[in-house]
Amino acid sequence: MSTYKSLLLEVNEGIALVTINRPKALNALNRSVLSELAQFFQEDIKTIENCKGVVLQGSGEKAFVAGADITEFTELKPENTEAFIRLGNDLFRFMENYQLPIIALVDGFALGGGCELAMACHLRIITEKTRIGQPEVNLGLLPGYGGTQRLAQLIGKGKALELLLTGEMLSADEALRLGWANYLFSKEEGMI
């Protein structure tokens, strides 16, 4: 099993709880997080005896994953931008087609790449404070990890296009009503 810099891993009765652990950065996706998630899903999960599934969450009180770490964008050059986008695309496609269930436990913001990560999971469980969106348009960008397709598949083409063009967020109730989320639970029900 690998040693992770940005992830925490617990295994309980065959369920792997993977926590993205960058709370000061609102768990923003960077190369390290994406590489470690790829390492976990493509290799390390195989070492978990009788693994039945994965729950993916973010640490801290504010965000599941608040998007991509835009501080890394300033360092990207054309020759490594494509590799960065491909890393996320390949990982999310791998997760989407994984043979075991992957559940996103979304408590707080799931924006941009974080929304895309949650949509690559098989199920999404949210809390009352969850807010989802694809605000890349506010930076003059498009979602880079398949968000345009997955969002439309989950909530319909018209509403997806509206969110992609305006950068607006959905509340937890709206995300549940539109089919982005599978289940809304309160903190009183307990966390996984």
Side-chain angles (χ1 to χ4, degrees), residues 26-30 34 63-70 73 84 88 92 106 108-120 124 130-139 141-151 154 163-164 167-170 180:
L26 300 178
N27 304 312
L29 298 176
N30 61 14
L34 292 173
F64 168 70
V65 172
D69 191 339
I70 58 173
F73 288 3
F84 183 67
F92 292 3
V106 181
F109 292 107
L111 303 174
C115 183
E116 293 178 281
L117 175 61
M119 291 189 294
R124 284 152 301 286
T130 297
R131 299 292 176 270
I132 69 116
Q134 297 290 166
E136 290 90 343
V137 68
N138 296 322
L139 299 172
L141 302 171
L142 295 171
Y145 300 139
T148 56
Q149 294 82 22
R150 290 187 186 98
L151 188 62
L154 289 171
L163 292 179
L164 292 165
E168 291 181 7
M169 290 186 279
L170 292 180
W180 187 91

Side-chain angles (χ1 to χ4, degrees), residues 25-82:
L26 300 178
N27 304 312
L29 298 176
N30 61 14
R31 280 177 271 217
S32 175
V33 172
L34 292 173
S35 296
E36 289 180 8
L37 284 170
Q39 176 66 36
F40 172 76
F41 281 108
Q42 294 170 0
E43 298 299 328
D44 295 346
I45 195 171
K46 297 172 190 173
T47 67
I48 298 173
E49 190 172 330
N50 298 318
C51 188
K52 299 172 187 157
V54 177
V55 175
L56 182 62
Q57 67 179 1
S59 64
E61 296 293 319
K62 294 182 180 179
F64 168 70
V65 172
D69 191 339
I70 58 173
T71 61
E72 279 196 350
F73 288 3
T74 60
E75 301 168 11
L76 288 176
K77 295 179 175 41
E79 59 272 11
N80 56 11
T81 299
E82 185 178 342

Side-chain angles (χ1 to χ4, degrees), residues 9-31:
L9 175 63
E10 297 175 41
V11 179
N12 188 6
E13 297 183 19
I15 304 297
L17 176 61
V18 177
T19 304
I20 299 170
N21 190 32
R22 299 186 70 220
K24 289 180 182 176
L26 300 178
N27 304 312
L29 298 176
N30 61 14
R31 280 177 271 217

Side-chain angles (χ1 to χ4, degrees), residues 37-38 41-42 54 56 88-102 116-118 120-122 150:
L37 284 170
F41 281 108
Q42 294 170 0
V54 177
L56 182 62
N89 265 309
D90 291 348
L91 169 63
F92 292 3
R93 190 175 306 108
F94 186 87
M95 290 171 60
E96 182 177 50
N97 294 305
Y98 199 69
Q99 66 267 21
L100 296 174
I102 304 171
E116 293 178 281
L117 175 61
C121 296
H122 301 116
R150 290 187 186 98

